Amino acid sequence: CGIGNQLRYVDRFSTCRRNHRENVAEHQFYTAFFALLICEHLPPAEINVGIAVIRALLHDVEEHCTGDVIRPVKYDTKQTKRSLDQAGLKFCKRFFNSLTKDKAVAVQLLVDWKSAKDESREGRIVKFADFLSVIAYLHQEVKSGNHLVMENVSQLKAYWRNFRAPEFNFIRILVDQSWLMVEALDNRLQEKKP
């Protein structure tokens, strides 16, 4: 597989103490798995499950090139985000073209990657599934005694509130249920503050 399996070597949360290492390939799997579970709660006519899962599997492919840049750094300035996006796009074009001789397939993979978290229902599902993967990982870390990991995610509640926007109403019950984990993690963070 060569370059296609390299995401297993790109660690997530690499700038903080971790009890359990998670790589980008694992994160993409869990995001796709959560996307599939979310889709199971929706009427089949309202969602393209295949598109949601494909997009979830592709959503962080560029991190083979950029690494897993933590959110506060990635969004520090517009220029930082723009530079990371440009590097990711350049890598993905080469990567998808290296996977197949069929130009149409490479173009479709690039389209699916670029639209992974767009404003379609499938894109919103991927956004939320990505978030669920993060809080599930953080919950595992905290449960195993690593409270230091929470110092890196101080904006968890604020980020969760993005999913309360009307465009996420079609998965409102799932968003509301996820609040329990977010609140539990935030409480752990507050307990550890002096």
Side-chain angles (χ1 to χ4, degrees), residues 46-57:
E46 293 183 15
I47 198 75
N48 186 324
V49 178
I51 292 294
V53 171
I54 287 169
R55 289 179 178 184
L57 288 169

Side-chain angles (χ1 to χ4, degrees), residues 21-111:
R21 295 180 84 155
E22 182 180 77
N23 61 51
V24 175
E26 290 170 304
H27 166 65
Q28 286 182 270
F29 165 79
Y30 288 119
T31 301
F33 182 68
F34 288 135
L36 179 63
L37 293 177
I38 292 166
C39 289
E40 291 298 316
H41 288 285
L42 300 171
E46 293 183 15
I47 198 75
N48 186 324
V49 178
I51 292 294
V53 171
I54 287 169
R55 289 179 178 184
L57 288 169
L58 295 175
H59 83 280
D60 281 341
V61 164
E62 78 284 358
E63 290 183 5
H64 174 347
C65 167
T66 64
D68 179 46
V69 180
I70 60 171
R71 188 170 191 79
V73 172
K74 187 185 292 187
Y75 293 95
D76 182 48
T77 67
K78 288 181 181 178
Q79 181 57 43
T80 301
K81 177 72 168 97
R82 188 171 30 256
S83 294
L84 286 168
D85 288 348
Q86 289 170 349
L89 176 61
K90 186 176 178 181
F91 167 77
C92 284
K93 284 180 180 178
R94 281 194 327 267
F95 174 62
F96 294 138
N97 280 313
S98 76
L99 294 178
T100 179
K101 292 180 182 187
D102 188 336
K103 187 75 172 160
V105 171
V107 167
Q108 186 59 53
L109 287 168
L110 187 65
V111 166

Side-chain angles (χ1 to χ4, degrees), residues 153-162 179 182-183 186-187:
V153 290
S154 60
Q155 298 299 314
L156 200 58
K157 278 185 170 181
Y159 189 68
W160 176 85
R161 286 185 185 96
N162 293 324
W179 175 250
V182 171
E183 193 169 42
D186 191 68
N187 288 340

